[in-house]
């Protein structure tokens, strides 16, 4: 068989797995025995597989023949995917987000699966259940084989993502692991820099994700080679996945801050946020710019546009839109003249009725609310 070779151990055998060997395809009645996986992907079992093939032609059944036909190719593909010898087939869809290209029956066919980021899509596309279903393998065969391979290759899998050079280029010491989890090994990522020879400075991780998982288009590489700005280059890579923004540099900066989510970057830019706003919020809450993006969008969804310092003192999540609508329409709130965003920030930290009293007492920010609540407790 072709594929990644399994180095033999000192004992001459390679990988040994305990599998359930079913007596027929329609029963769970089984015996448990060892299967040895050799370096050339041949297997050794307690069965005489040549004799079992003859018996099968005469109407018999041997579970380990099914294992050899389907589970071995599945295990082979799983190992190639996890060593990043084969790229996981995922893509970015501007309407749905990250999706797995090969939907598989008995796994994700017709389910409309979409994933929050490239790494989550790759995790599914390379999972034992997905790969086994893709090959039509019984999971009771594929799972123990893949688990044995995982243990056997653990040291190699743990070290392959490391790349000091990539960490320096991206100014992110975890860049190698982040790209590896998104299906991109360090050597491939470094090769991608050949597209942008004139760019100096920090290269966002989103650039590598776009090159790996978005289709190219005529003239793209020629335009990339002319760029000196990483943000302009980023926009050129991602422009087929989103409407062309009026300000490509600002879009590129937001795209980098949101870790390659064109949907998030465009939505944030539409309501006036910049990458600097995400940086400010990340510092305020002690998180990442990607976390900041998701947090801000929960507020944008209910019609609020808070800033980083606003959210520093907020103790709860964004309120329900219906709750906000009712409060903004309240006569006592309307007389105060405060904005919908201010109301949202306050109600996330207080009950609606306490909020109304607080607003009438001049409270306008979450910090004011904390002081007002303390005074009320001290008074009572």
């Amino acid at each position: 068989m072709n594929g990644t070779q399994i180095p033999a151990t000192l004992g001459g055998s390679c990988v040994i797995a305990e599998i359930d060997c079913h007596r027929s395809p329609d029963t769970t009645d089984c015996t448990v025995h060892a299967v040895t996986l050799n370096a050339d992907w041949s297997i050794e079992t307690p069965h005489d597989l040549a004799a079992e093939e003859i018996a099968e032609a005469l109407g018999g059944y041997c579970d380990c023949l099914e294992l050899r036909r389907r589970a071995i190719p599945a295990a082979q593909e799983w190992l190639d995917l996890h060593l990043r010898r084969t790229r996981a087939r995922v893509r970015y869809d501007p309407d749905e987000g990250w999706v797995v290209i090969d939907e598989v029956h008995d796994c994700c066919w017709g389910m409309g699966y979409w994933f929050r980021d490239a790494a989550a899509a790759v995790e599914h596309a390379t999972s034992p259940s997905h790969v086994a279903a893709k090959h039509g393998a019984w999971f009771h065969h594929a799972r123990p084989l893949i688990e044995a391979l995982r243990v056997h290759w653990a040291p190699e899998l743990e070290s392959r993502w490391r790349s000091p050079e990539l960490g320096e280029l991206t100014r992110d010491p975890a860049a190698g692991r982040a790209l590896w989890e998104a299906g991109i090994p360090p050597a491939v990522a470094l090769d991608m820099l050949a597209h942008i020879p004139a760019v100096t400075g920090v290269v966002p991780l989103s650039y590598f994700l776009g090159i790996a998982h978005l289709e190219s288009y005529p003239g793209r590489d020629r335009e990339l080679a002319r760029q000196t700005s990483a943000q302009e280059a980023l926009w050129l890579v991602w422009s087929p996945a989103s409407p062309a923004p009026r300000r490509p540099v600002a879009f590129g900066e937001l795209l980098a801050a949101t870790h390659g989510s064109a949907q998030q970057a465009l939505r944030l830019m539409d309501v006036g946020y910049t990458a600097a706003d995400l940086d400010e919020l990340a510092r305020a809450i002690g998180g990442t710019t990607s976390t900041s993006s998701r947090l801000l969008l929960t507020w944008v969804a209910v019609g609020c546009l808070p800033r980083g310092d606003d959210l520093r003192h907020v103790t709860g999540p964004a309120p329900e839109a219906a709750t906000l609508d009712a409060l903004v329409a309240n006569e006592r709130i309307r007389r105060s003249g405060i904005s919908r965003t201010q109301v949202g920030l306050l109600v996330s930290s207080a009950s609606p009725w306490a909020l109304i009293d607080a607003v009438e007492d001049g409270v306008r920010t979450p910090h004011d609310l904390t002081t007002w609540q303390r005074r009320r407790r001290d008074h009572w």
Side-chain angles (χ1 to χ4, degrees):
M1 278 185 166
N2 296 324
T4 302
Q5 292 291 291
I6 311 171
T9 61
L10 292 176
S13 62
C14 297
V15 176
I16 299 176
E18 295 287 322
I19 65 110
D20 293 346
C21 186
H22 289 212
R23 302 188 191 283
S24 82
D26 304 318
T27 181
T28 57
D29 186 23
C30 65
T31 58
V32 178
H33 65 68
V35 170
T36 300
L37 196 53
N38 296 315
D40 63 354
W41 292 94
S42 63
I43 62 170
E44 298 172 18
T45 79
H47 307 282
D48 180 342
L49 293 181
E52 294 289 358
E53 285 180 325
I54 297 172
E56 184 181 60
L58 298 173
Y61 179 79
C62 178
D63 212 27
C64 281
L65 289 177
E66 282 297 301
L67 179 148
R68 187 173 67 181
R69 290 189 192 107
R70 300 176 184 273
I72 296 301
Q76 213 175 352
E77 180 173 345
W78 179 89
L79 185 57
D80 281 340
L81 285 166
H82 279 259
L83 290 174
R84 302 303 188 247
R85 302 275 182 88
T86 301
R87 184 174 295 173
R89 287 171 51 79
V90 306
R91 65 179 173 83
Y92 182 80
D93 183 289
D95 297 318
E96 299 179 359
W98 289 95
V99 297
V100 174
I101 294 172
D102 299 320
E103 292 187 345
V104 177
H105 285 287
D106 297 324
C107 179
C108 51
W109 179 267
M111 297 293 187
Y113 281 6
W114 60 271
F115 301 88
R116 67 182 182 276
D117 53 32
V122 168
E123 182 180 15
H124 178 81
T126 61
S127 65
S129 56
H130 183 84
V131 176
K134 181 179 175 182
H135 287 269
W138 296 112
F139 199 49
H140 67 267
H141 291 158
R143 178 174 53 190
L145 284 175
I146 288 173
E147 187 55 35
L149 286 170
R150 190 196 306 276
V151 172
H152 189 84
W153 279 86
E156 182 82 2
L157 291 170
E158 180 56 33
S159 62
R160 282 200 169 206
W161 62 267
R162 300 181 189 280
S163 174
E165 185 178 359
L166 200 53
E168 185 176 338
L169 284 167
T170 59
R171 303 283 173 83
D172 182 352
R177 180 181 283 279
L179 290 176
W180 180 270
E181 290 174 352
I184 308 167
V188 171
L190 293 171
D191 286 345
M192 291 174 179
L193 296 174
H195 292 283
I196 48 172
V199 169
T200 57
V202 179
V203 181
L205 297 186
S206 308
Y207 165 79
F208 302 98
L209 294 177
I211 292 288
H213 298 305
L214 295 178
E215 290 187 10
S216 185
Y217 54 89
R220 187 200 71 177
D221 291 350
R222 182 177 62 253
E223 288 299 315
L224 280 176
R226 296 169 50 191
Q227 301 305 314
T228 57
S229 161
Q231 283 70 39
E232 289 275 10
L234 194 59
W235 173 65
L236 284 169
V237 170
W238 280 84
S239 57
S242 60
R246 295 182 302 278
R247 294 175 292 138
V249 172
F251 173 72
E253 290 172 344
L254 274 170
L255 192 59
T258 57
H259 292 187
S261 174
Q263 286 176 313
Q264 290 184 22
L266 285 168
R267 184 73 182 104
L268 291 169
M269 194 163 70
D270 284 346
V271 295
Y273 284 113
T274 67
D277 294 324
L278 297 188
D279 283 333
E280 177 191 358
L281 178 55
R283 289 192 297 271
I285 65 175
T288 65
T289 54
S290 181
T291 303
S292 300
S293 168
R294 291 193 293 272
L295 175 60
L296 280 177
L297 286 171
T298 64
W299 287 89
V300 170
V302 296
C304 297
L305 303 175
R307 297 293 165 181
D309 196 53
D310 295 331
L311 293 172
R312 184 197 303 272
H313 303 287
V314 168
T315 58
E320 296 285 338
T323 301
L324 260 180
D325 292 341
L327 283 169
V328 170
N330 182 277
E331 183 62 30
R332 293 164 69 188
I333 294 289
R334 288 172 59 190
R335 283 199 303 266
S336 72
I338 69 173
S339 69
R340 182 181 181 91
T341 296
Q342 287 175 299
V343 173
L345 291 167
L346 292 173
V347 78
S348 70
S349 302
S351 69
W353 300 115
L355 178 149
I356 293 171
D357 290 341
V359 167
E360 288 192 324
D361 285 348
V363 170
R364 296 294 181 269
T365 69
H367 180 67
D368 294 342
L369 180 64
T370 301
T371 303
W372 180 83
Q373 289 171 327
R374 186 182 304 117
R375 287 174 178 167
R376 294 259 294 194
R377 285 195 299 270
D378 291 345
H379 175 74
W380 291 105

